[in-house]
Amino acid sequence: MIAESPLMSIRSVMEALSGKILPEAVNPQQGISSVTIDSRNVTEGALFVALPGTVTDGHAYVEKAFQQGAVFALVQENRMEQYGATIVAAARGAGKNVMVVPDTLRALQDLARWYVDRFPHLIRVGITGSSGKTTTKEIAAAMIRSEKVVVMNEGNLNSETGLPLSVFSIRPEHQVGVFELGMNRVGEITELARVLRPHIALITNIGTAHIGKLGSQEAIAREKKEIFSQFTGREVAIIPESDPFAAFLKEGVRGRIRSFGYRSMVSLGEVTPLGIEGTRIVWDGVPVILPLPGTHNVLNALGAAAIAQEVGISAEGIRQGIAQVRPLFGRGEIIKGPVTILRDCYNANPESMEQAVGFCDSLEWKGKRVYVIGSMLELGEKSEEAHRQIAHVLAKSKADRIFLFGEETAIMEPIVVAAKGSAAVGYTTSFDELQEKVRRSVEEGDLVLLKGSRGMALERLTEILTGEKNVL
């Protein structure tokens, strides 16, 4: 077996970043095989980046990283008073070196940007939005993969650290890179756009995810729009045609703007919902089945198709990608059996909650509809308003039984009970109690919706509904 070429050398890191090398001796030609921020993931030849933290501080694990095979480490200047002696001793003992930098997170991002620059022929695609980012990325990659060599970030590694670490998976053979950009704070999209500098950037939508941290949808729109901040005039911005913030997102963009949606896509023909089997889409005159249920996934597929067209994928390649994509774990999965489960519990906000309830309501179903609704987290001062909004949606829904789980859902109970009756509604903050209530209520032939924020871990109910252990 031929060993894979190193990503870079220690000399490359020294040229890409400004910092002080400790101890003095260094082997600049030493190759670096990988980059990690977790000492548990260190393999032979790794660069370990020690990130500061209040609970877990990476600087406490530099010695372990060297023991695991790391050949170099980045450490932060303001942590050296506390950890410096131990770190330098560990480096000397292992015959390795560290570089002291002002900010290790910024250094990681700068190094990632430097690494991306090594691949000037790679078409770089960035995707952000309040929901649908990961699904759109997966569909776009499936389409592009039919005709070109593509790389993407795995799962939802889209954060201030996840994206920089992901770009180190780029290799010379890759023609297109499709990367998701997430956001947990103001300024994060700007940082990630600076790392990737996408040639094509798509915003899926502007919703209320993380509104508790940014304060308003307007602030969310401003932050998401920063994905275009590195444009020079030659790039392409892809914007949802029907989003209330579409006009704002288009303002002042330095580059070509195109829209995606039912009206904007010339190749789009008839769209026919098939319930839990997905949607039949006619693309460029030929029908294909999108196996992901719900109209929101049709929009995700149309966004992905716009990306695919921009990178030169044929209509047949786009259809192949549509047909081949599969639901991601916890994102709109349909689990069939004696009980049919819609497991959509990777995240939740008012928009995705309404979509999930609306989809289940739209199905022709002979058995009971049982909706298990977990708290929507990270909504801040908007939380009560949002939960009341969804309570009214549930009150009008076709659900036969509704279970509310989590402290935030307490405000929903009287609204739903007033419409459905107390016998049809259960509220609890105890997972054991929830599990027992669901177990007693669900029968063969029923449809069960599991919808809540990631922190509620509603996927834990899968085992009692199917008899199989299956957790995120």
Side-chain angles (χ1 to χ4, degrees):
M1 178 182 287
I2 299 174
E4 186 172 340
S5 299
L7 300 180
M8 65 193 88
S9 66
I10 289 177
R11 182 180 296 280
S12 298
V13 180
M14 294 168 61
E15 292 173 352
L17 305 175
S18 297
K20 181 180 181 181
I21 300 295
L22 298 174
E24 300 305 323
V26 67
N27 177 11
Q29 305 311 319
Q30 171 75 56
I32 291 172
S33 61
S34 62
V35 181
T36 183
I37 60 172
D38 189 334
S39 61
R40 295 169 296 183
N41 297 334
V42 169
T43 55
E44 193 65 35
L47 165 63
F48 177 65
V49 182
L51 297 179
T54 54
V55 178
T56 302
D57 194 315
H59 294 80
Y61 296 90
V62 174
E63 182 174 12
K64 180 183 176 183
F66 285 142
Q67 292 170 351
Q68 295 282 101
V71 296
F72 199 44
L74 300 181
V75 297
Q76 190 158 298
E77 192 173 354
N78 66 2
R79 288 299 198 268
M80 292 302 285
E81 182 176 348
Q82 180 177 358
Y83 294 102
T86 302
I87 288 173
V88 172
R92 280 202 177 99
K96 309 291 175 59
N97 291 92
V98 297
M99 175 185 277
V100 184
V101 296
D103 184 324
T104 48
L105 174 60
R106 181 60 183 262
L108 172 65
Q109 294 172 348
D110 287 345
L111 186 62
R113 175 175 172 144
W114 171 89
Y115 184 78
V116 169
D117 282 345
R118 294 182 62 200
F119 304 93
H121 301 297
L122 182 78
I123 301 173
R124 302 187 297 269
V125 179
I127 299 172
T128 194
S130 293
S131 60
K133 298 182 293 295
T134 305
T135 301
T136 301
K137 178 198 68 181
E138 295 285 336
I139 302 174
M143 293 172 175
I144 296 166
R145 192 178 295 116
S146 66
E147 296 175 1
K148 296 180 184 289
V149 185
V150 66
V151 60
M152 63 178 179
N153 38 4
E154 296 299 323
N156 68 330
L157 288 174
N158 60 17
S159 65
E160 61 187 6
T161 57
L163 174 75
L165 291 172
S166 292
V167 304
F168 292 113
S169 61
I170 299 170
R171 298 294 182 270
E173 64 268 22
H174 292 133
Q175 297 168 286
V176 183
V178 183
F179 293 96
E180 174 185 343
L181 284 65
M183 174 193 72
N184 283 302
R185 56 176 173 79
V186 173
E188 190 166 4
I189 294 295
T190 310
E191 290 176 13
L192 300 183
R194 192 180 62 84
V195 170
L196 185 63
R197 283 162 301 125
H199 302 110
I200 301 164
L202 178 141
I203 297 176
T204 58
N205 48 55
I206 302 298
T208 54
H210 304 304
I211 199 167
K213 296 180 179 179
L214 276 81
S216 69
Q217 277 189 279
E218 289 76 14
I220 292 170
R222 284 194 299 273
E223 179 66 18
K224 296 296 187 183
K225 188 176 178 178
E226 286 297 300
I227 196 171
F228 308 138
S229 63
Q230 303 298 303
F231 279 15
T232 62
R234 299 185 299 272
E235 296 82 3
V236 181
I238 305 177
I239 292 168
E241 66 181 18
S242 298
D243 194 278
F245 288 89
F248 168 75
L249 296 176
K250 294 176 183 178
E251 289 176 5
V253 174
R254 296 180 64 194
R256 178 163 58 88
I257 295 172
R258 69 169 290 179
S259 299
F260 73 93
Y262 290 98
R263 299 188 306 274
S264 305
M265 315 295 283
V266 174
S267 297
L268 181 64
E270 186 177 0
V271 176
T272 307
L274 302 176
I276 61 173
E277 303 303 325
T279 303
R280 181 181 183 271
I281 296 173
V282 175
W283 187 263
D284 207 33
V286 179
V288 62
I289 304 298
L290 173 67
L292 308 182
T295 56
H296 58 291
N297 278 320
V298 176
L299 288 174
N300 292 335
L302 295 180
I307 290 170
Q309 287 177 328
E310 290 296 329
V311 301
I313 303 302
S314 68
E316 176 56 28
I318 289 173
R319 286 192 293 268
Q320 282 186 35
I322 290 173
Q324 291 170 5
V325 72
R326 293 294 178 267
L328 294 167
F329 206 62
R331 291 177 169 92
E333 289 177 285
I334 298 292
I335 302 172
K336 297 179 182 178
V339 174
T340 299
I341 307 167
L342 172 57
R343 187 165 65 180
D344 196 0
C345 46
Y346 196 86
N347 54 35
N349 53 56
E351 294 82 13
S352 65
M353 196 70 86
E354 285 196 53
Q355 288 169 352
V357 171
F359 172 72
C360 290
D361 281 355
S362 72
L363 299 174
E364 293 291 332
W365 207 261
K366 293 181 180 179
K368 297 195 307 295
R369 290 177 170 87
V370 180
Y371 297 174
V372 183
I373 305 298
S375 295
M376 297 179 289
L377 306 177
E378 297 186 354
L379 295 178
E381 64 182 22
K382 304 287 186 180
S383 181
E384 284 193 14
E385 177 187 343
H387 283 87
R388 281 198 188 93
Q389 174 188 336
I390 298 306
H392 289 292
V393 171
L394 291 169
K396 297 175 184 177
S397 74
K398 295 182 181 180
D400 298 290
R401 294 297 307 273
I402 296 172
F403 296 104
L404 305 172
F405 176 54
E407 292 180 6
E408 291 81 0
T409 67
I411 199 167
M412 303 168 69
E413 185 183 18
I415 299 171
V416 183
V417 167
K420 298 287 187 180
S422 59
V425 181
Y427 163 74
T428 182
T429 58
S430 164
F431 181 76
D432 289 341
E433 183 180 347
L434 173 68
Q435 187 170 241
E436 183 59 23
K437 286 174 182 273
V438 172
R439 188 188 63 78
R440 292 200 309 263
S441 176
V442 174
E443 301 171 314
E444 185 172 343
D446 287 353
L447 171 69
V448 179
L449 167 64
L450 304 180
K451 181 64 181 175
S453 281
R454 178 80 284 278
M456 307 311 296
L458 288 178
E459 73 282 351
R460 292 176 290 170
L461 292 172
T462 305
E463 184 178 352
I464 68 158
L465 294 169
T466 65
E468 299 178 2
K469 290 186 178 181
N470 200 350
V471 295
L472 288 173

